[in-house]
Amino acid sequence: MTSTWRQLALSSQGLTSEPSFGVGLSGTLNTIEHLGYVQIDTLSVVERAHHHVLWSRVPDYDTNHLNQLVHEKQIFEYWYHAASYLPMRDYRFALRNMASIRNGENRYYTKVDKQLMREILARVCGEGPLRLRDLDKENKTQGKWWDMAPCRRALEVLFMQGELMVCKRNGMEKVFDLTERCLPDNINLTMPTTHEYAEYLFDTTLRAHGVFTWKQLVHLKTGKPIKDAMREVVEQRIEEGVITKLNHPQTPNTYASTQAFGQSPASENLLKILSPFDNVLIHRDRLSSLFKFDYTIECYVPAAKRKFGYFCLPILLGDTFVGRIDCKVHRAKKQFEVISLHLEEGRVINQDQFFPLLISELQRLADFNQCPQLDATAISHTFGKQVLQSMPTKSIS
């Protein structure tokens, strides 16, 4: 039965067949709308998380797709559990957080220069979109009172309380504009009730994960009102037959989509190298109980305490996480280096089948990172000659 739940979880994530959500720009939009969000991350050891997550699901994904969809007002940047791209159709559900920040309910965003915020808004209104460095340039060239740290803080608060939006990114550099210029016409700006917000969180989790826990439903949501509203939604969905509570000692308080059972199973020959910030990985307790995979991204761990490497990427084979691979892109040399490979004990049954799949996917990932050279010698040093035989001619042996 656990295998069925894993299949359901991966199918809901679009990781069992290609392409689950379509191709090209429309496939990218469909993926974001289905998942509910894609996390933005600044780490660039390999291609950044938001691009990697979408590439894992959209075969011909292009990194320009996100800017294009923002320009077309189809998606927007805001906060989910972290900085994320979200579907524009869900914009109204960000209004609650924006209002709480404007009302001073989040102490993290209260220490800010209000006059500076007004000055920045006036500049954007009169001059158009700006970047943080435009404010710093003003300070350096004209001797005005602009200072980088307060400006960064003011921009952050203006963004979080919904007065500015990110209208474009140049790499990781944000370009800000007035929210009214970034929103589509006739968008619903009605503040959702607590019950509506709980329904939104529930529906997003149900659609994107298929199998989920109570803890996942209320992840980082505090306060009795939202939890009470979520309990009402869960009970209602059980009565309607939308979800089923799973009775298994290893998965307490876990629910599954009733209608989603029977979706396409994961092919045993489908191998994915995932981002550490992939949506399927983000709830570590669920990952451990459902997939029996304990995962920690070790770039935040002191070097002496790392077991697997600075930026290990999880390897998914069929419906099983079989290992992790530490990789690094050397952009100047256009080289994709495999530093180390660690396999979970007993999970790779057929190595003759596994290594060609792994090398092929590594080359795809290297090409996506604009690195025609794949240095996978670390794998052959650890696992032997059969890996060398699997390497494409472009690889470094």
Side-chain angles (χ1 to χ4, degrees), residues 91-273:
Y91 180 82
R92 66 182 290 249
F93 295 104
L95 295 176
R96 289 168 57 92
N97 194 52
M98 294 174 184
S100 72
I101 292 170
R102 283 196 302 273
N103 296 336
E105 297 171 17
N106 187 321
R107 287 183 296 175
Y108 179 79
Y109 295 105
T110 55
K111 295 181 181 180
V112 62
D113 187 327
K114 302 289 187 181
Q115 176 61 28
L116 178 56
M117 289 171 63
R118 287 191 287 270
E119 292 283 350
I120 291 174
L121 277 177
R123 281 196 60 179
V124 178
C125 183
E127 301 174 21
L130 60 72
R131 307 159 296 179
L132 176 61
R133 64 169 151 156
D134 294 327
L135 303 179
D136 186 47
K137 181 180 178 181
E138 181 84 3
N139 178 42
K140 291 177 180 177
T141 60
Q142 299 186 29
K144 292 195 176 181
W145 50 269
W146 300 100
D147 183 70
M148 200 68 160
C151 285
R152 179 181 286 107
R153 184 68 173 166
L155 277 172
E156 180 183 28
V157 175
L158 287 167
F159 169 77
M160 289 299 296
Q161 67 185 26
E163 295 184 72
L164 292 180
M165 292 180 72
V166 177
C167 64
K168 184 180 180 182
R169 276 183 182 259
N170 300 316
M172 288 303 291
E173 183 182 47
K174 304 173 191 175
V175 183
F176 295 90
D177 201 355
L178 297 178
T179 294
E180 62 197 58
R181 295 174 182 159
C182 298
L183 294 177
D185 297 335
N186 303 317
I187 190 170
N188 185 354
L189 297 177
T190 306
M191 182 71 70
T193 65
T194 301
H195 188 80
E196 286 177 323
Y197 186 59
E199 288 183 317
Y200 156 70
L201 294 174
F202 177 91
D203 291 341
T204 299
T205 302
L206 172 67
R207 183 180 64 247
H209 292 281
V211 179
F212 49 91
T213 63
W214 169 259
K215 186 176 180 180
Q216 186 178 357
L217 282 172
V218 293
H219 182 57
L220 299 180
K221 302 299 182 288
T222 59
K224 189 173 183 295
I226 186 61
K227 292 181 180 179
D228 287 347
M230 186 63 78
R231 287 190 183 92
E232 292 177 4
V233 173
V234 168
E235 290 172 3
Q236 180 182 354
R237 296 296 195 272
I238 290 174
E239 290 178 4
E240 294 171 348
V242 174
I243 59 172
T244 301
K245 188 170 184 179
L246 304 179
N247 296 313
H248 194 284
Q250 294 182 354
T251 56
N253 297 316
T254 301
Y255 308 89
S257 167
T258 305
Q259 297 178 345
F261 276 104
Q263 290 187 7
S264 300
S267 168
E268 294 181 359
N269 295 324
L270 184 62
L271 187 146
K272 298 274 190 179
I273 299 172

Side-chain angles (χ1 to χ4, degrees), residues 26 104 163 173 182 192 260 282 284 329 332 335 339 346 360 367 374 381:
S26 62
E163 295 184 72
E173 183 182 47
C182 298
I282 204 66
R284 299 293 199 252
V329 168
Q335 181 188 100
I339 299 171
S360 175
D367 291 341
L374 168 63
H381 289 162

Side-chain angles (χ1 to χ4, degrees), residues 297-324:
I297 180 172
E298 295 184 343
C299 57
Y300 304 120
V301 175
K305 295 184 178 181
R306 291 176 193 143
K307 294 174 59 180
F308 302 109
Y310 182 83
F311 204 70
C312 275
L313 311 176
I315 304 170
L316 179 67
L317 178 63
D319 66 357
T320 304
F321 284 94
V322 298
R324 60 206 89 198

